[in-house]
């Protein structure tokens, strides 16, 4: 892991760094022996996301698997957005070097103003 890894905006990272680290949880051992479990996954725009703290390697692996899977499920959920008077359902980019995906566009019905 390069110096400044957790002081870099995700959209400023190289493709090689995203390929190596995106959605791959990792741990850092604390002075007390516990493990900080983190992941570069978009939960924070300018650093890796904290997934939790574990007391052992096995606990860190289980924590990483559970928390990262939950985050990916949440991140993949469609989000409604209003643009140009339309309601658009989008899936946010899954990485900083990807684009959002438009899943559907809906035109709200206009009230008729007939007399």
């Amino acid at each position: 892991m390069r110096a400044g890894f957790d002081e870099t905006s995700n959209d400023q990272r190289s493709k090689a760094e995203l390929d190596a680290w995106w959605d791959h949880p990792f741990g850092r051992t604390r002075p007390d022996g516990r493990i900080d479990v983190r992941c570069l996954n978009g939960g924070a725009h300018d650093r890796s996301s904290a997934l939790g703290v574990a007391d052992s390697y096995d606990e860190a692996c289980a924590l990483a698997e559970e928390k990262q899977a939950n985050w990916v499920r949440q991140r993949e959920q469609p989000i409604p957005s209003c643009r140009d008077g339309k309601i658009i359902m989008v899936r946010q980019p899954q990485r900083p070097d990807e684009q959002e995906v438009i899943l559907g566009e809906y035109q709200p019905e206009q009230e008729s103003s007939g007399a």
Side-chain angles (χ1 to χ4, degrees), residues 5 13-22 24 40 95 97:
F5 182 83
R13 295 177 189 277
S14 69
K15 181 178 181 337
E17 186 168 68
L18 292 173
D19 290 346
W21 290 101
W22 196 262
H24 296 276
L40 187 64
R95 285 176 38 144
D97 58 350

Side-chain angles (χ1 to χ4, degrees), residues 2-75:
R2 67 173 173 76
F5 182 83
D6 267 341
E7 290 83 37
T8 303
S9 178
N10 292 336
D11 60 357
Q12 298 297 311
R13 295 177 189 277
S14 69
K15 181 178 181 337
E17 186 168 68
L18 292 173
D19 290 346
W21 290 101
W22 196 262
D23 284 343
H24 296 276
F26 60 92
R28 291 183 179 154
T29 304
R30 296 172 143 200
D32 65 3
R34 296 188 307 156
I35 302 168
D36 277 322
V37 181
R38 304 188 63 82
C39 190
L40 187 64
N41 61 12
H45 76 281
D46 60 350
R47 63 189 173 284
S48 61
S49 301
L51 300 181
V53 178
D55 291 325
S56 69
Y57 176 81
D58 289 338
E59 288 178 19
C61 290
L63 176 73
E65 183 177 355
E66 175 190 355
K67 297 291 186 171
Q68 180 61 15
N70 289 342
W71 172 249
V72 169
R73 275 192 298 276
Q74 178 181 338
R75 190 179 67 199

Side-chain angles (χ1 to χ4, degrees), residues 61-99:
C61 290
L63 176 73
E65 183 177 355
E66 175 190 355
K67 297 291 186 171
Q68 180 61 15
N70 289 342
W71 172 249
V72 169
R73 275 192 298 276
Q74 178 181 338
R75 190 179 67 199
E76 290 175 339
Q77 292 299 307
I79 298 172
S81 177
C82 292
R83 297 182 194 165
D84 299 323
K86 296 179 186 174
I87 299 171
I88 299 175
M89 293 300 291
V90 298
R91 179 171 295 125
Q92 294 296 314
Q94 300 302 293
R95 285 176 38 144
D97 58 350
E98 294 178 352
Q99 299 296 315

